[in-house]
Amino acid sequence: MPTYKAPVRDTRFVLEEVLELGRYAALPGFGDLTPELVNSILEEGARFTEEVLQPLNQTGDRVGCTRHADHTVSTPPGFKQAYQQFVEAGWGGLSGDPAYGGQGLPHVISTAFEEYLIASNMAFSMYPGLTLGAIAAITAVGSEDQKALYLPPMVAGRWTGTMNLTESHCGTDLGLLRTRAEPAGDGSYRLTGTKIFISAGEHDLAENIIHLVLARIPGSPESVKGISLFIVPKFLVNADGSLGARNGVSCGAIEEKMGIHGNATCVMNYEGATGYLVGERDKGLRAMFIMMNAARLGVGLQGLAISEVATQNAAAYARERLQGRALGGPKNPGGPADPIIVHPDVRRMLMTARAFNEGARALALWGALQVDLAHLAPTPEARQDADDLIGLLTPVIKAWFTDQGYLNATNAQQCFGGHGYVRDWGMEQFVRDARIAMVYEGTNGVQALDLVGRKLAANGGRGLRLFMREVGAGIEDARKNATTPQAAETLGCALADLQAATNWLMRNAMTRPEHAGAASTPYLCLMALVAMGHLWLRMLVLAEHALAQGESEFHANKRITAHYFFRHALPETAVHRARVEVGAEPLMALAAEAF
Amino acid sequence: MPTYKAPVRDTRFVLEEVLELGRYAALPGFGDLTPELVNSILEEGARFTEEVLQPLNQTGDRVGCTRHADHTVSTPPGFKQAYQQFVEAGWGGLSGDPAYGGQGLPHVISTAFEEYLIASNMAFSMYPGLTLGAIAAITAVGSEDQKALYLPPMVAGRWTGTMNLTESHCGTDLGLLRTRAEPAGDGSYRLTGTKIFISAGEHDLAENIIHLVLARIPGSPESVKGISLFIVPKFLVNADGSLGARNGVSCGAIEEKMGIHGNATCVMNYEGATGYLVGERDKGLRAMFIMMNAARLGVGLQGLAISEVATQNAAAYARERLQGRALGGPKNPGGPADPIIVHPDVRRMLMTARAFNEGARALALWGALQVDLAHLAPTPEARQDADDLIGLLTPVIKAWFTDQGYLNATNAQQCFGGHGYVRDWGMEQFVRDARIAMVYEGTNGVQALDLVGRKLAANGGRGLRLFMREVGAGIEDARKNATTPQAAETLGCALADLQAATNWLMRNAMTRPEHAGAASTPYLCLMALVAMGHLWLRMLVLAEHALAQGESEFHANKRITAHYFFRHALPETAVHRARVEVGAEPLMALAAEAF
């Protein structure tokens, strides 16, 4: 059975040394964040996820969710009790608004915890995860009355939330959606239609479920410009917050899917369900994107979290599994064979994942800090900078983390040989669970298009210029550090590749938009590697400094992993650049019928 | 539900134009192989796999195999009837020795059919597939009596075969195995032990199952030098070939695994089972490797086959799924949206798979032809050359094809968005099925080590030199073809990368064997790309020639796909070379305990 140990030491390194949270003590929510407090939150989060949630992960996969004849849904054994503990400990409201009962901690802290939450039990984590997205949307565009009515129990976790976008014939292209919202005459609406792939759509964990639903009001344009967002509670909510009648929304089926069996992915039937418009009519898509952007960072975190837990188990197995001998002669001469970790190719898989995990953790927490700063930084310029940076990197984090998470889970499974393919060891579950993250909240191809088609050019390319400037400044800083010149040079080459690919796009994408589409995925990979390299260079400089003050195993290992990243992973940028510069022709030349 | 159309036209192109089978008419088995005969075999194979086997693939996954209280195993619905048809049509004996009832066709022809067989139903294909491996081992090292007794019903398909190597504590390192074979005094042995992961270990398809089992005879060395190979029939066989008593071997359990549910992967208990030594005592591993090498090519074919069928379904979906609009303006203005095949990034996934599928098909059939030539070529030199080439490329085909097959299946699933993650569309099954091929018959890491640790240096590097010479000659030939200079130059660069990586290994691996281990996977990728490039360059030249004689859609599409390969896939060789030349240090620097 797989195990999990939350990487608290590494999280602390990122928060304290890389991001230097102490610098932000003047900002709301950051003031009390002493290293001791952060540590106690992380340690408590580690204990809860390791001891309560992780042991439920494998049964969650095997038993899955069950839909009953009355359309109610049971979650897997133990989930209900665990969720109760989750709520009582206040984990769902870590960064919630204190006005609605949240703890008001920075997003960067709740993100650190969320990694542990997902790694221990991804299917479980989605119940509170979707709630956070729904809270974000109501917070952003809901009326004061709606906030007062819905947010307190959602922040507390007594109610959960969902996002209802997809219909069978429309996923990416929401303009095609058919769910209708008829005005009821009393200010509310009656929603009718069928939504599919609704995560946490129905379950037995919470007293109520607040569905956020995209639908079209009669008379609105038949395009993305005619979509409105509605609150549709499972149980109607009285003015005093108590629960009223059961609403006309129910779970029509649970999807049979490849993984995340512990989460109920539902077909949701709306049959004249009462709904309340949130935000402006026909502006639903914009509101949904607020939710979606937060959700995309959360999905990126899923890639990291599964990669981390899968790698931990593979490393443990590689240290213990005796098989064959080291190429240079026995390393365990007293035993029947050497542990397979003596083999460079096994280490290649583990080091690749390790370099990703540590780099991605730094990048994810850096990103979460930008979310905080976009709201809290003292000057409008600083808020704008943070918003630009996280806007640019959201699709990168979502797509790159989930692609790599899947590959690392696959490699971790590979370390087990045939034992990885059978259920007992739990490794194949990680692969099946990780797979969905490349798809939902916009496929990774859609992320890449968001990057090159929207984010690059946003505000005249302001975000991209800022990002490149920051990476360049990091390189300059590292160059002064005599011990890391090679790594700085390598990142310099990668940055030059990014610059060249960007220039190519600027010169060519206007004349033929397909060039942007063709370039999108390689360009995203290139930017992801540069972003990871930026964080890794910073971590290498910090490790060098710490080592100069005296040996520390943690920092020595950090340096080793940094060098692996710069020598093995980063040189890939040249291939991605070349693929950008090839242009659309090789992709578009074949007639559609010839495929 | 997924569909499958066997790529007969493309197979014919490889056999007739690329490999020019007509050149070998003087060899046994090749004489009658007119294009018409080959076509009728392929068309018949296509019909059988498309109509009989493919419709059973999804239920095979859902229902799986069932072990009963009496330790017998039922295969999924329809498998038994389909296997009966398979036997009656003689598909199992296509390239079987006519002396034992086979049809004596070249291996290259049966390989072409096997691709269809696997693509239509991988789990089903493994029952006859394992039989071919067992036939190969008995043919190579069995006594004349053994051949006469066992081969005819196996070639006919009335009996199937298995390979029993793995035990719970030993997979790659067979020296550790514990299964014992005690001499019974009558020339036979009594085998006792437990084998795991035995594909097709028990089922209801055949009258008898011939297990080939590795075990140690008391007194033999406790290492790989003390392993012998035994025939252990499920039912003992009387001298006249009739079935005798049930032997002491039975299925202890069916493994619960990620995929290939239609194949019974068994724990096999040997409890004093009667076995017969095959080949020499203590030389079992050598005999098993004969079987294994044939099996590795078959596993490589699994990567290609799943990639092909998954891509076909993704392409069909991409042509039909209406969602969003083309970047350059509507392509289907009359419809509610454009088909997603208008998007360059969807095409990127499809073209990557297509370039792999067509290149891999050519390489697989070229490899199968080498197997034929290694036995049948008129001169000892020509036989030696063919044997050297296929020996060198067997690990490359096994590992590269299965890694890419998995990635292409994953990309094909990705084209379906959320629909790819649910069971109904069948795409996630392709991914789960494809995953095992990277593991069994030696993990892909073991293949890479086989390549750099054994095959490169075999016979003083004779095979590698021959391979490089052939690639170089292909480049020279293409250079004369004025229309393909760019592709020839690209392959020239890739070949130079391979040469440089080889030189680096020769200079460094002797002083530190870990350099070879560290280089193994990138080196294998590099060689795979060069081998694919070699076949693609040949195909491009042929396409250019054909086009010069007048337009042909098939050849025009081949040229487009070739250019995609040379511009998108092949430039990766530089990264693989760089990773070889980095050496072992970045991988070995971290202490084992630090992982």
Side-chain angles (χ1 to χ4, degrees):
Chain A
M1 204 170 101
T3 59
Y4 175 62
K5 188 95 188 76
V8 173
R9 177 70 188 88
D10 201 52
T11 306
R12 289 188 60 184
F13 168 71
V14 175
L15 296 177
E16 294 168 21
E17 299 183 54
V18 180
L19 303 180
E20 298 178 89
L21 284 198
R23 288 191 296 168
Y24 304 99
L27 304 186
F30 284 78
D32 301 330
L33 279 182
T34 60
E36 293 68 35
L37 176 61
V38 170
N39 188 46
S40 75
I41 295 169
L42 297 178
E43 287 292 354
E44 199 52 40
R47 199 197 54 73
F48 179 72
T49 55
E50 292 166 6
E51 295 176 13
V52 178
L53 295 182
Q54 197 276 334
L56 302 175
N57 190 43
Q58 224 178 347
T59 43
D61 179 64
R62 290 203 175 209
V63 179
C65 296
T66 312
R67 178 175 171 272
H68 305 286
D70 63 356
H71 300 196
T72 62
V73 168
S74 307
T75 51
F79 272 40
K80 204 173 151 84
Q81 295 83 340
Y83 187 74
Q84 207 51 48
Q85 288 181 256
F86 179 91
V87 169
E88 280 162 18
W91 289 116
L94 270 191
S95 58
D97 187 339
Y100 303 109
Q103 297 176 49
L105 288 167
H107 196 63
V108 68
I109 300 296
S110 59
T111 299
F113 168 71
E114 270 161 44
E115 184 203 324
Y116 306 169
L117 179 64
I118 299 162
S120 67
N121 196 323
M122 176 167 155
F124 179 94
S125 77
M126 293 170 66
Y127 294 102
L130 269 295
T131 309
L132 291 179
I135 290 171
I138 296 174
T139 302
V141 295
S143 67
E144 289 310 313
D145 284 353
Q146 287 170 336
K147 292 183 198 176
L149 194 62
Y150 296 106
L151 290 184
M154 293 177 80
V155 169
R158 287 193 293 115
W159 300 355
T160 62
T162 70
M163 297 169 65
N164 287 240
L165 291 75
T166 305
E167 300 176 10
S168 169
H169 66 292
C170 84
T172 302
D173 186 358
L174 290 166
L176 301 175
L177 70 78
R178 294 184 188 140
T179 298
R180 316 299 290 181
E182 306 269 349
D186 61 355
S188 73
Y189 292 79
R190 297 288 172 272
L191 275 79
T192 304
T194 301
K195 296 286 183 178
I196 65 168
F197 303 157
I198 307 307
S199 299
E202 175 61 30
H203 57 79
D204 55 2
L205 300 183
E207 298 162 19
N208 202 5
I209 303 175
I210 306 304
H211 303 290
L212 286 170
V213 185
L214 289 185
R216 202 184 310 275
I217 298 171
S220 287
E222 295 285 333
S223 74
V224 289
K225 294 180 178 142
I227 300 175
S228 303
L229 181 64
F230 297 88
I231 287 176
V232 181
K234 174 178 170 183
F235 289 99
L236 295 173
V237 181
N238 300 318
D240 65 355
S242 63
L243 299 187
R246 186 73 171 78
N247 200 356
V249 50
S250 66
C251 168
I254 298 180
E255 305 279 3
E256 288 193 74
K257 54 197 193 298
M258 186 181 192
I260 50 164
H261 295 154
N263 198 276
T265 308
C266 299
V267 174
M268 297 303 294
N269 294 325
Y270 292 84
E271 297 165 303
T274 297
Y276 309 97
L277 184 66
V278 201
E280 289 177 62
R281 174 176 173 159
D282 295 345
K283 304 284 190 202
L285 214 58
R286 215 173 51 185
M288 196 53 109
F289 264 103
I290 291 166
M291 202 158 155
M292 188 81 101
N293 272 321
R296 284 178 175 175
L297 290 171
V299 173
L301 216 50
Q302 293 179 339
L304 163 59
I306 298 291
S307 177
E308 170 69 33
V309 65
T311 307
Q312 284 186 14
N313 283 279
Y317 188 80
R319 285 193 306 264
E320 286 163 21
R321 172 76 172 179
L322 303 180
Q323 200 81 182
R325 291 294 185 187
L327 294 166
K331 292 277 171 74
N332 175 32
D338 290 343
I340 61 172
I341 202 157
V342 302
H343 293 297
D345 196 63
V346 170
R347 282 166 168 261
R348 177 185 59 79
M349 295 189 276
L350 296 174
M351 286 300 293
T352 300
R354 182 186 180 96
F356 168 78
N357 295 344
E358 296 182 9
R361 182 170 300 117
L363 183 55
L365 294 174
W366 171 90
L369 179 61
Q370 305 313 310
V371 173
D372 287 320
L373 295 177
H375 294 104
L376 304 174
T379 66
E381 292 74 24
R383 291 197 292 275
Q384 183 69 68
D385 281 356
D387 196 55
D388 284 350
L389 286 173
I390 193 59
L392 181 71
L393 285 166
T394 292
V396 175
I397 289 173
K398 193 281 182 181
W400 179 257
F401 282 22
T402 58
D403 277 349
Q404 300 305 309
Y406 177 68
L407 293 178
N408 289 334
T410 299
N411 273 338
Q413 179 188 25
Q414 189 74 4
C415 291
F416 283 72
H419 294 286
Y421 197 68
V422 295
R423 270 189 167 184
D424 311 13
W425 289 86
M427 298 305 289
E428 57 94 39
Q429 183 191 345
F430 292 134
V431 176
R432 289 186 290 101
D433 286 357
R435 182 66 186 87
I436 187 57
M438 298 149 78
V439 174
Y440 57 21
E441 309 300 345
T443 65
N444 286 357
V446 167
Q447 304 301 319
L449 213 51
D450 178 47
L451 175 65
V452 300
R454 200 175 299 149
K455 299 297 175 62
L456 279 193
N459 306 305
R462 196 175 61 199
L464 181 68
R465 282 196 305 275
L466 175 59
F467 171 72
M468 288 193 171
R469 222 159 44 228
E470 298 236 328
V471 176
I475 294 170
E476 281 313 305
D477 182 58
R479 279 192 178 129
K480 293 178 205 143
N481 193 312
T483 52
T484 54
Q486 203 189 2
E489 290 319 308
T490 308
L491 183 56
C493 292
L495 184 61
D497 285 332
L498 182 63
Q499 185 66 63
T502 308
N503 293 346
W504 190 93
L505 269 179
M506 285 169 63
R507 280 198 310 275
N508 296 283
M510 296 295 267
T511 53
R512 185 174 177 183
E514 284 168 345
H515 283 317
S520 59
T521 290
Y523 188 89
L524 184 143
C525 296
L526 180 43
M527 181 173 282
L529 283 165
V530 170
M532 296 274 286
H534 177 54
L535 272 302
W536 261 121
L537 191 60
R538 172 104 188 106
M539 294 195 283
L540 178 57
V541 169
L542 290 167
E544 299 278 8
H545 281 168
L547 288 164
Q549 328 263 310
E551 194 62 27
S552 141
E553 200 187 318
F554 178 86
H555 291 98
N557 290 341
K558 190 61 80 179
R559 182 171 56 183
I560 288 169
T561 311
H563 282 305
Y564 180 85
F565 176 82
F566 285 106
R567 303 183 77 176
H568 266 256
L570 200 54
E572 262 188 34
T573 54
V575 173
H576 299 304
R577 169 186 167 178
R579 284 178 181 153
V580 168
E581 295 177 351
V582 160
E585 194 50 31
L587 294 167
M588 306 311 292
L590 203 67
E593 313 78 57
F595 276 92
Chain B
M1 204 168 102
T3 59
Y4 176 60
K5 187 95 188 78
V8 173
R9 177 70 189 87
D10 201 52
T11 305
R12 290 187 61 184
F13 168 71
V14 175
L15 296 177
E16 293 168 22
E17 298 183 54
V18 180
L19 303 179
E20 298 177 88
L21 284 198
R23 289 192 295 169
Y24 304 100
L27 304 186
F30 284 78
D32 301 329
L33 278 183
T34 60
E36 292 69 34
L37 176 61
V38 169
N39 188 45
S40 76
I41 294 169
L42 296 178
E43 288 291 355
E44 198 52 40
R47 200 197 52 75
F48 179 71
T49 55
E50 292 166 7
E51 295 175 12
V52 177
L53 295 181
Q54 198 275 334
L56 301 175
N57 189 44
Q58 225 178 347
T59 42
D61 179 64
R62 289 201 175 210
V63 180
C65 297
T66 313
R67 177 175 171 272
H68 305 287
D70 63 356
H71 301 198
T72 61
V73 168
S74 307
T75 50
F79 272 41
K80 203 174 153 86
Q81 296 82 340
Y83 187 74
Q84 208 51 47
Q85 288 181 258
F86 179 91
V87 169
E88 280 162 17
W91 288 117
L94 270 192
S95 58
D97 187 340
Y100 303 109
Q103 296 176 51
L105 286 166
H107 195 63
V108 68
I109 299 296
S110 60
T111 299
F113 169 70
E114 270 162 44
E115 184 203 324
Y116 306 169
L117 180 65
I118 298 163
S120 67
N121 196 324
M122 176 166 155
F124 179 94
S125 77
M126 293 171 66
Y127 295 100
L130 270 295
T131 308
L132 290 180
I135 290 171
I138 295 173
T139 303
V141 296
S143 67
E144 289 310 313
D145 284 353
Q146 287 171 336
K147 292 183 198 176
L149 195 61
Y150 296 105
L151 291 184
M154 292 176 79
V155 168
R158 287 192 293 113
W159 301 356
T160 63
T162 72
M163 296 170 66
N164 286 241
L165 291 75
T166 305
E167 300 177 10
S168 169
H169 66 292
C170 85
T172 302
D173 187 357
L174 291 166
L176 302 174
L177 71 78
R178 295 183 188 142
T179 299
R180 317 298 292 180
E182 306 270 348
D186 62 354
S188 74
Y189 292 79
R190 297 289 171 274
L191 275 79
T192 305
T194 301
K195 297 286 183 178
I196 66 168
F197 302 155
I198 307 307
S199 298
E202 176 61 29
H203 56 78
D204 56 2
L205 300 182
E207 299 162 19
N208 203 4
I209 303 175
I210 306 304
H211 302 290
L212 286 170
V213 186
L214 288 185
R216 203 185 309 276
I217 299 171
S220 287
E222 293 286 335
S223 74
V224 289
K225 294 182 178 140
I227 300 174
S228 303
L229 182 64
F230 298 88
I231 287 176
V232 182
K234 173 178 171 183
F235 289 99
L236 295 173
V237 181
N238 300 318
D240 65 355
S242 62
L243 298 187
R246 184 73 171 79
N247 201 356
V249 49
S250 67
C251 168
I254 298 181
E255 306 279 2
E256 287 193 75
K257 55 198 192 298
M258 186 180 192
I260 49 165
H261 296 155
N263 198 276
T265 308
C266 299
V267 175
M268 297 302 295
N269 294 325
Y270 292 84
E271 298 167 301
T274 297
Y276 308 96
L277 185 66
V278 200
E280 288 179 62
R281 173 176 172 158
D282 296 344
K283 305 283 191 206
L285 214 57
R286 216 172 50 187
M288 197 52 108
F289 265 101
I290 291 166
M291 202 157 154
M292 188 80 100
N293 273 322
R296 284 178 175 177
L297 290 171
V299 173
L301 216 49
Q302 294 179 338
L304 162 60
I306 297 292
S307 177
E308 170 69 32
V309 66
T311 307
Q312 284 186 14
N313 283 279
Y317 188 80
R319 284 194 307 264
E320 286 162 20
R321 172 77 171 177
L322 302 181
Q323 200 79 181
R325 291 294 184 187
L327 294 166
K331 293 278 171 71
N332 175 33
D338 290 342
I340 61 172
I341 202 157
V342 301
H343 293 297
D345 196 64
V346 170
R347 282 167 168 260
R348 177 186 58 81
M349 297 189 276
L350 296 174
M351 285 301 293
T352 299
R354 182 186 179 98
F356 168 79
N357 295 344
E358 296 182 9
R361 181 169 300 116
L363 184 54
L365 293 174
W366 171 90
L369 179 62
Q370 304 313 310
V371 172
D372 287 321
L373 295 177
H375 294 104
L376 304 174
T379 67
E381 293 74 23
R383 291 197 291 274
Q384 183 69 67
D385 282 356
D387 197 54
D388 285 349
L389 286 174
I390 193 59
L392 180 72
L393 285 167
T394 292
V396 175
I397 289 173
K398 194 278 183 184
W400 180 256
F401 282 22
T402 58
D403 277 349
Q404 300 306 308
Y406 177 69
L407 294 178
N408 289 335
T410 299
N411 273 338
Q413 180 188 24
Q414 189 74 6
C415 291
F416 283 71
H419 295 286
Y421 197 67
V422 295
R423 269 190 168 186
D424 311 14
W425 289 85
M427 299 306 289
E428 57 94 40
Q429 182 190 345
F430 292 134
V431 176
R432 289 185 289 102
D433 285 356
R435 181 67 186 87
I436 186 57
M438 297 150 78
V439 173
Y440 56 21
E441 308 301 345
T443 65
N444 287 357
V446 168
Q447 305 300 320
L449 213 51
D450 178 48
L451 175 65
V452 300
R454 200 175 299 150
K455 298 298 175 61
L456 279 193
N459 307 306
R462 196 175 59 200
L464 180 68
R465 282 196 306 276
L466 175 59
F467 171 72
M468 289 193 172
R469 221 159 45 229
E470 297 237 329
V471 176
I475 294 171
E476 280 314 306
D477 182 56
R479 279 192 178 130
K480 293 179 205 143
N481 193 314
T483 52
T484 55
Q486 203 190 3
E489 290 319 308
T490 308
L491 184 56
C493 292
L495 184 61
D497 285 332
L498 181 64
Q499 184 66 63
T502 307
N503 292 346
W504 190 93
L505 269 179
M506 285 169 64
R507 282 197 309 274
N508 295 284
M510 295 296 267
T511 54
R512 185 172 178 185
E514 284 167 346
H515 283 317
S520 59
T521 291
Y523 188 89
L524 184 142
C525 296
L526 181 43
M527 182 173 281
L529 284 165
V530 170
M532 297 276 285
H534 177 54
L535 271 302
W536 262 121
L537 191 59
R538 172 105 188 105
M539 293 195 284
L540 178 57
V541 169
L542 290 167
E544 299 278 8
H545 280 169
L547 288 165
Q549 328 263 309
E551 195 61 28
S552 140
E553 200 189 317
F554 177 86
H555 291 98
N557 291 341
K558 190 63 81 181
R559 181 171 59 182
I560 289 170
T561 311
H563 282 305
Y564 180 85
F565 176 83
F566 285 107
R567 303 184 76 176
H568 266 256
L570 199 55
E572 262 189 34
T573 55
V575 172
H576 298 305
R577 169 185 166 180
R579 284 179 181 152
V580 168
E581 295 177 353
V582 160
E585 194 51 30
L587 294 167
M588 306 312 290
L590 203 68
E593 313 79 57
F595 276 91

